[in-house]
Amino acid sequence: MTKFEALGLQKSLLDAITDMGFETPSEVQEKAIPILLESETDLVALAQTGTGKTAAFGFPLIQKIDSDSRTTQGLILSPTRELCLQITKEMQAYSKYERNINVVAIYGGASITEQARQIKRGAQIIVATPGRMKDMISRRLVDISKIDYCVLDEADEMLNMGFMEDIKDILSGTPNDKSTWLFSATMPREVATIAKKFMHSPQEITVGAKNSGASTVQHEYYVVGGRDRYPALKRLADTNPDIFSVVFCRTKRDTQKVAEKLIEDGYNAGALHGDLSQNQRDLVMNSFRKKQIQMLVATDVAARGIDVDDITHVINYQLPDEIETYTHRSGRTGRAGKSGISMVIVTRSEQRKIRAIENKINQKFLSKKIPTGMEICEIQLYHLANKIKDTKVNEEVDAYLPAINDVLEGIDREELIKKIVSVEFTRFFNYYNKSKDLNSSDSGRDRDNGKAEIPTSGSVRYFVNVGERDGYDWMSLKDFIRDTVGLGQEDVFKVDVKESFSFFNTEAEVTQQILDKFTDFKVDGRFVNVEVSKNPGGGGGSRRRSGGGGFRGKRNGRRDEGGGKGRRDGGSQSKGRRRDRSESSAPNSGKRRSNKRKGDFF
Ligand code: ADP
Ligand code: MG
């Protein structure tokens, strides 16, 4: 007996499986197929892209369809025309030995009359995009009032694309007692909402990312206005204080310009492009290897063969012309078993290129928001607090302590902490206070600058003082919080794990429960502290597997010791303060720079 046979699949399907060359079921297939065959149940299945989800619902669906009836019995909703066609093709291949099973694809951009005609001939299974499906329902060209099974494939993606309302409308016209099978790579809040609203105590299966061969690189994109690319880049850097990155630009000119601006704004940046002499390039690469340069701005050609491990982020300041180039760029991070993040800054009109890349690399992008100024301030603040905590005390200060104590006399602990933290924080605060939201098409995420109170409604964001360094990634941290507090599967979301701290969200109803549980709560003798974060939105609506942030920043409040030889010294810092609103300059002019003169780089 083959492993597929053991799952309970019928002979005709097994023959088709043999023809397709599948030998063993994938994990999601092994888990989902028996459940779906044996019972009439709702199901939520979470598994990464490329884990064989189509067959996981396709085989059981075909086996359960009554081929003697021409009534439409199964509806598969999928986000795009391409996926729709792909699923249809797969379903046709699976059902090649079935008698009289018709699978019809319905999607936009093709003749609706032709699709209606195919339906009319009798389609037991329809594979549709939500938009066209709704259209055809309203024109009474399809009848889904008698379906037994509804599959929501790539549910997270459908909701990402704004199909929530269409899906609700479509489902509202289907029988209440049908079974709904939801397949998704991730479980964001919107998907959980759909599951809650339209499913009846669904069974749940999760397939670990480990078995999917998922890449160690996470892909993220940020949609901004065309003129906000540079300020967006800076915010991404400020959100990740320990960034060690390659920033890709399309032309030598842009490469030079961006690097020049970053240096002027006080970042540890350098440029790498073909107009530099070999000697200049060697100098830049040496500084980069030694991490004196944290942001290497490079053209694709010049960056070829960069053999530096530990790169935390690849930033696509502009997308490349060729999709293949993107693969090369993102491959600069996530090396040597480490995780990495590839970020893309796009304008709204470029967004469709993201889909094209996803298809090519067979991996999904997370749509993320450029953090607001106040979010960056918060991150920097926690960063600093942790840095202070982790600082190894230098015994040499002992000799000066009496004098220092004299100076600080009469200041109590709380005030002293506030003062210490303010030294660094005020710089960021002054810079980012009242700065605008850079996210294109954002409906305005209002922030108030008041103190965090315990909210009573809506979604609540929390800060927790554990992170990657404590061995957590977003999945394990989510599990930890859920299990500790005793919450349900979807109650913890937007988990954003940084190096030494993390953020997550819950609904306000459980806030008190969370805060109560994490009062004086210790793991391995260490306090795990959860606080309501001042920023209710947080993170940008999607989740991260890992963050590159952390607390090793080298801002010492003054320029490097290299002296001002030949540099335009002294100017940028004060300029940065003055021009803060436009974000044309940086808050962190104290960040250490490499000692190279500008002329050496450009
Ligand atoms: P997902 O929907 O999870 O992204 P797909 O269903 O599109 O994944 O499957 C990805 C690829 O794996 C497809 O080319 C499919 O034909 C193939 N595949 C699926 N199941 C198996 C299996 N059991 N053995 C070998 N290949 C499989
Ligand atoms: Mg799929």
Side-chain angles (χ1 to χ4, degrees), residues 63-108:
Q63 187 155 330
K64 291 193 140 189
I65 293 294
D66 175 7
S67 55
D68 292 336
S69 157
R70 298 201 331 161
T71 310
T72 299
Q73 301 158 51
L75 170 66
I76 301 167
L77 289 177
S78 119
T80 65
R81 163 204 166 103
E82 286 72 30
L83 280 169
C84 218
L85 287 165
Q86 198 183 315
I87 294 168
T88 307
K89 229 170 75 197
E90 292 252 334
M91 295 295 285
Q92 283 161 351
Y94 303 161
S95 59
K96 70 193 256 203
Y97 295 118
E98 311 299 324
R99 272 176 305 120
N100 301 326
I101 288 212
N102 271 327
V103 186
V104 172
I106 285 182
Y107 49 88

Side-chain angles (χ1 to χ4, degrees), residues 4 20-26 28-29 47-57 59 83 86 90 94 153-154 362:
F4 275 110
M20 277 184 304
F22 293 4
E23 284 171 4
T24 44
S26 70
V28 68
Q29 293 162 2
Q48 296 293 318
T49 307
T51 50
K53 294 192 287 294
T54 317
F57 62 76
F59 295 154
L83 280 169
Q86 198 183 315
E90 292 252 334
Y94 303 161
D153 190 30
E154 312 246 6
N362 202 15

Side-chain angles (χ1 to χ4, degrees), residues 472-539:
Y472 290 101
D473 59 15
W474 70 264
M475 276 190 284
S476 57
L477 184 66
K478 181 182 158 126
D479 289 345
F480 164 68
I481 291 160
R482 221 175 45 203
D483 296 347
T484 305
V485 185
L487 301 170
Q489 176 73 25
E490 307 98 31
D491 289 340
V492 179
F493 46 92
K494 287 188 186 168
V495 181
D496 213 348
V497 176
K498 309 277 184 197
E499 190 176 323
S500 55
F501 58 92
S502 310
F503 296 99
F504 64 92
N505 279 34
T506 73
E507 292 300 332
E509 291 88 76
V510 298
T511 301
Q512 199 58 55
Q513 212 179 325
I514 297 229
L515 296 180
D516 288 349
K517 189 74 206 179
F518 284 102
T519 302
D520 294 334
F521 184 85
K522 278 189 190 177
V523 174
D524 297 335
R526 197 185 139 192
F527 281 110
V528 176
N529 201 14
V530 174
E531 286 158 28
V532 173
S533 157
K534 224 167 70 175
N535 296 304

Side-chain angles (χ1 to χ4, degrees), residues 372-439:
T372 62
M374 289 321 289
E375 277 166 340
I376 290 172
C377 288
E378 187 176 9
I379 286 169
Q380 292 287 346
L381 191 54
Y382 293 132
H383 181 170
L384 178 65
N386 275 279
K387 193 164 121 192
I388 292 171
K389 196 181 102 204
D390 292 345
T391 295
K392 200 165 169 288
V393 169
N394 186 334
E395 306 297 343
E396 296 298 313
V397 300
D398 283 359
Y400 308 97
L401 264 189
I404 292 172
N405 277 331
D406 278 352
V407 175
L408 300 176
E409 206 191 331
I411 306 176
D412 67 21
R413 181 189 139 93
E414 190 163 325
E415 199 183 349
L416 189 61
I417 290 175
K418 279 195 206 168
K419 278 177 185 280
I420 292 173
V421 167
S422 299
V423 171
E424 194 103 341
F425 178 66
T426 304
R427 190 169 66 227
F428 279 94
F429 182 81
N430 288 346
Y431 178 70
Y432 276 121
N433 188 23
K434 302 204 179 80
S435 60
K436 67 168 185 163
D437 192 324
L438 295 183
N439 295 293

Side-chain angles (χ1 to χ4, degrees), residues 89-375:
K89 229 170 75 197
E90 292 252 334
M91 295 295 285
Q92 283 161 351
Y94 303 161
S95 59
K96 70 193 256 203
Y97 295 118
E98 311 299 324
R99 272 176 305 120
N100 301 326
I101 288 212
N102 271 327
V103 186
V104 172
I106 285 182
Y107 49 88
S111 158
I112 199 165
T113 15
E114 171 55 27
Q115 289 174 0
R117 226 171 35 175
Q118 289 185 29
I119 300 277
K120 225 171 169 175
R121 286 206 293 262
Q124 292 101 336
I125 298 174
I126 293 176
V127 187
T129 53
R132 175 56 67 96
M133 189 65 202
K134 218 190 127 187
D135 203 3
M136 292 191 74
I137 292 171
S138 66
R139 298 202 209 174
R140 300 183 192 285
L141 296 174
V142 288
D143 177 11
I144 51 165
S145 65
K146 298 192 185 64
I147 60 168
D148 300 308
Y149 306 100
C150 179
V151 180
L152 303 174
D153 190 30
E154 312 246 6
D156 49 355
E157 200 51 26
M158 283 200 284
L159 299 176
N160 253 348
M161 294 173 67
F163 284 134
M164 179 72 122
E165 289 311 311
D166 286 349
I167 292 172
K168 280 187 188 165
D169 286 351
I170 293 167
L171 291 181
S172 68
T174 60
N176 216 4
D177 61 356
K178 70 179 177 306
S179 296
T180 306
W181 305 343
L182 183 152
F183 286 77
S184 189
T186 62
M187 190 75 177
R189 217 160 86 70
E190 294 78 7
V191 175
T193 309
I194 285 271
K196 269 212 179 95
K197 199 166 155 89
F198 291 101
M199 300 172 77
H200 310 288
S201 36
Q203 299 204 42
E204 294 179 3
I205 57 177
T206 305
V207 171
K210 299 161 232 116
N211 309 343
S212 67
S215 151
T216 48
V217 180
Q218 174 167 309
H219 303 266
E220 302 175 349
Y221 70 97
Y222 297 81
V223 186
V224 303
R227 284 203 223 127
D228 286 334
R229 267 186 218 277
Y230 181 70
L233 172 66
K234 289 201 325 182
R235 286 200 191 180
L236 293 176
D238 287 341
T239 313
N240 297 282
D242 278 344
I243 197 165
F244 181 51
S245 61
V246 184
V247 179
F248 283 98
C249 296
R250 228 176 351 212
T251 64
K252 288 185 234 177
R253 203 163 149 263
D254 287 341
T255 302
Q256 173 161 330
K257 249 176 35 197
V258 169
E260 208 165 337
K261 268 167 130 176
L262 284 172
I263 291 170
E264 195 166 304
D265 287 344
Y267 294 83
N268 298 322
L272 190 69
H273 58 73
D275 284 352
L276 304 175
S277 71
Q278 187 59 49
N279 186 35
Q280 287 170 326
R281 270 185 275 173
D282 289 346
L283 285 171
V284 175
M285 279 311 296
N286 279 338
S287 305
F288 187 54
R289 275 197 199 93
K290 288 191 217 140
K291 302 201 176 164
Q292 287 160 345
I293 288 177
Q294 283 184 284
M295 302 175 81
L296 179 68
V297 191
T299 57
D300 290 297
V301 176
R304 224 174 257 164
I306 290 182
D307 55 345
V308 179
D309 291 335
D310 304 337
I311 291 172
T312 59
H313 294 75
V314 163
I315 302 182
N316 294 264
Y317 186 77
Q318 295 141 336
L319 273 178
D321 292 324
E322 309 277 332
I323 294 179
E324 289 74 22
T325 309
Y326 178 81
T327 316
H328 291 142
R329 288 182 176 186
S330 58
R332 298 283 151 231
T333 184
R335 289 153 66 100
K338 304 225 171 62
S339 62
I341 296 176
S342 174
M343 299 170 151
V344 183
I345 302 174
V346 286
T347 59
R348 236 188 293 181
S349 59
E350 291 173 323
Q351 240 173 305
R352 54 182 177 78
K353 290 193 190 165
I354 296 291
R355 304 278 161 254
I357 296 175
E358 283 182 333
N359 288 339
K360 182 85 192 173
I361 65 175
N362 202 15
Q363 243 188 297
K364 295 275 173 231
F365 272 79
L366 295 179
S367 156
K368 306 262 300 190
K369 297 254 188 256
I370 298 285
T372 62
M374 289 321 289
E375 277 166 340

